[in-house]
Amino acid sequence: MLRWTITFLIIAVIAAVLGFTGVAVAFAGIAKVLFVIFLVLFVLSFFMGKRRSP
């Protein structure tokens, strides 16, 4: 999940540098959503793993 976030962020930066502002905004939005999903899943797995271990 984090790999996809970084990929979309890099594409957004490249598009912004080349002047494709609409595409850059779209890819940056996707990267933000994926990063939030990654954080939520990470926190959930962290706490669930703590609860199951003896």
Side-chain angles (χ1 to χ4, degrees):
M1 183 75 63
L2 190 58
R3 182 179 293 173
W4 282 104
T5 302
I6 294 170
T7 302
F8 279 111
L9 184 62
I10 290 171
I11 292 173
V13 169
I14 292 171
V17 168
L18 295 176
F20 301 112
T21 56
V23 175
V25 170
F27 278 110
I30 293 170
K32 285 180 188 177
V33 169
L34 288 175
F35 185 70
V36 168
I37 292 171
F38 167 77
L39 281 179
V40 168
L41 291 176
F42 174 74
V43 169
L44 286 175
S45 66
F46 180 75
F47 286 119
M48 292 298 197
K50 289 280 187 180
R51 193 182 314 174
R52 290 184 186 159
S53 63

